[in-house]
Every structure is written in structure tokens, then in C-alpha cells.
Amino acid sequence: MLMSTLVAGLVLGGTYALVAMGLTIQYGIARTMNLAYGEVTIAGAFAAYLIYNVLGVSPILGLTIIAPIGFAFGWIVYGLLLRPLVARSKNTAALEINSILATFGLLFVVQGVMLVIFGGNYTSYNFMNYGVDVLGTRVAANRLLALFLAVTVGGGLYLVLTRTRWGTALRAVAVNPAAAPLVGIDANRAARFAFALGGGLAASGGVAISMYQTFTASSGVEFTMKALIVVIMGGVGNLAGAILAGLLLGLAETFVATYISPGLTIASVYLIFLAVLLWRPQGLFGKVSR
């Protein structure tokens, strides 16, 4: 039972980490807080559902279509909705407030469209729903695949952002967007690319979630809140922090649900979140601003 709980917690935490990485990139580099982030995640889940049930295409192959669509959606939203806000905001605080208000409205637009198309009922599909023996315990194959997907996409992106010149340029914008143009970096283009990249990651997270969880058109808020908690716990803009905080959150939820009570999972999440805010308000892996 301990091993199965541990694996289930890693799967859930890996998915949280994958979803939260996109939000921390959007907030850390583009300086925009996207409250419609969870809706993009759920839209990715519904896209995987349609591709599998209508076209008979595996969600993994569907990911090669869904992730670029999520990227394109983020690129368009930033250009049409957020870029004008960036241009007229006098400072970072004003931009954060304006982006929160704008994406709050976008949340209801995306959610309303999904409610019209798919209704308000819970949705799921049967994909690789059979047991696989892992270290003496049976684990659903779709959960293992979701964990593999989260590790591959999240780990690959982390290496790209930390080991390549392109990733260094993006991180330079995150550290000091005003100074980045002095070394030839187009900060506006980097911010738009980062926001679009976050959209692609949100859609990818939706594909992973759809393989082993039920979801509804109105459950995006839950994933936005979980991703926001992971981002704050890990430290805003800290990719490694988002990964570790996501795993910690998934393990905490699963162990509380298994050994204490499923009704206390949300309470345990917010208890950990409050403890981190009181102990390290900059996040577990964030640095203190001076």
C-alpha cells in the first residue's frame, strides 16, 4: 500500500509540476498573472478526449497537435489582450493588476465556450486503464504514462532553459527586463514567447490529466489555484522549485487521502501553503529580494 500510494503521489505531483511550470514561466518572464491558465489546461484535456474518441488517435500522438495549439493560443492572447496592457502599464505592479483583471474575464469566456460545447457533466475516457506491476504493486498504466510525460516534457524544458543560450536569454528577461535590451535581447518578444510557451505547457498538462482523471468544463479554477500554490511554494520564476513543490503537493494530497481522510486533502494543501508563506514567503527555493 505504501508503494502504490507513493507512485500515485508522484504521478499527481508530476502533473502539478508540469502544469505549474507554464504558469511560473508566464509570471516570471512575461510578468503577467494568468487567471485563465486552468481553463487552457481543461481545454487541452477536452481536446485529447475528442482526438481519442472521435479520431481514434492516442493522446500521446494528439499531444503533438494540442501543445502547438496551446502555444498558438497563448501567442495570440498575449498579442491581442496583454501586449496593449504592457505598453500602457507604468510599472510591474500596475501590469500585474491589469493582467489579473484581463485574464479573469478571459477565464469566463473560455469556460463559457467549453460549457456550451461539452456541457457541465464530468468527462473521461478509457485509455491504457490496466494494471502494471511496479516494485511489487499494481499501478494503472495510464498513470505511469502521465508521470513519464510530465518528467520528459518538464525535464526537457528545464534543461533547455538552463543549458542553452536561448534559455539564458529568457532567464535574463526574468531577472531584469529593463537591462535585457542592453545586451541585444528583445524583451517584448521574449515575454510573448514565454507566455505562449506557458500556454503549450498548460495544454500538455491537460492531456496528462485527461488520461487518468475525470474533468468538467468548470474545473479549470481548481488547476489554476493548484498551479498558483505550487508557483508560490517553489518561488516565482524558479523552474526547479516548481517541479519539487509540485511533487511535494502531490505526495501530501495522496498520503493524506490514503492514511487520514480524502476529505482533508484540500485542507492539507492549504495548511502546507500557509506554513510556507509564514516560514519562507519568498518560496521554498526562492531568493529574498533586496
Side-chain angles (χ1 to χ4, degrees):
M1 187 172 179
L2 176 63
M3 183 57 67
S4 62
T5 306
L6 181 63
V7 173
L10 289 175
V11 170
L12 187 62
T15 308
Y16 285 160
L18 175 61
V19 173
M21 282 181 74
L23 189 62
T24 200
I25 288 173
Q26 287 185 341
Y27 190 52
I29 299 175
R31 310 279 175 175
T32 55
M33 178 49 67
N34 182 8
L35 292 188
Y37 190 82
E39 269 53 44
V40 179
T41 301
I42 294 302
F46 274 117
Y49 165 79
L50 284 179
I51 285 177
Y52 182 69
N53 283 287
V54 177
L55 303 178
V57 176
S58 161
I60 301 303
L61 290 178
L63 182 63
T64 60
I65 302 172
I66 296 168
I69 292 175
F71 181 93
F73 180 75
W75 184 272
I76 293 170
V77 166
Y78 189 89
L80 296 180
L81 184 65
L82 297 176
R83 184 69 190 91
L85 299 180
V86 173
R88 78 182 188 194
S89 297
K90 296 180 180 178
N91 49 50
T92 302
L95 175 59
E96 289 181 1
I97 294 172
N98 289 335
S99 65
I100 286 173
L101 294 175
T103 56
F104 188 60
L106 181 64
L107 178 160
F108 291 105
V109 173
V110 177
Q111 187 182 99
V113 171
M114 290 193 293
L115 281 170
V116 169
I117 297 175
F118 301 104
N121 295 326
Y122 279 94
T123 302
S124 65
Y125 57 91
N126 191 359
F127 175 69
M128 294 182 64
N129 192 19
Y130 51 84
V132 175
D133 187 72
V134 178
L135 300 175
T137 186
R138 301 290 286 179
V139 181
N142 51 14
R143 289 178 176 266
L144 289 177
L145 184 59
L147 177 60
F148 174 77
L149 184 65
V151 170
T152 303
V153 175
L157 180 65
Y158 177 78
L159 290 176
V160 168
L161 289 177
T162 55
R163 303 295 174 85
T164 67
R165 190 171 181 177
W166 172 79
T168 302
L170 285 182
R171 288 187 292 117
V173 175
V175 173
N176 194 336
L182 299 177
V183 292
I185 299 173
D186 187 336
N188 289 325
R189 185 177 178 81
R192 187 171 187 176
F193 189 89
F195 192 86
L197 184 61
L201 284 170
S204 301
V207 174
I209 289 166
S210 71
M211 291 192 294
Y212 68 94
Q213 276 195 16
T214 58
F215 50 92
T216 72
S218 57
S219 55
V221 175
E222 175 188 346
F223 288 101
T224 299
M225 293 305 298
K226 293 283 179 66
L228 189 57
I229 289 173
V230 170
V231 168
I232 294 173
M233 284 177 60
V236 175
N238 190 319
L239 290 177
I243 294 172
L244 293 174
L247 291 174
L248 176 63
L249 201 66
L251 287 170
E253 276 194 21
T254 308
F255 272 87
V256 168
T258 304
Y259 291 102
I260 301 178
S261 169
L264 292 176
T265 54
I266 300 298
S268 66
V269 167
Y270 284 99
L271 189 62
I272 295 173
F273 179 57
L274 290 174
V276 171
L277 280 182
L278 292 173
W279 176 48
R280 285 184 63 85
Q282 73 275 23
L284 293 173
F285 307 96
K287 296 179 180 178
V288 179
S289 300
R290 298 181 185 280

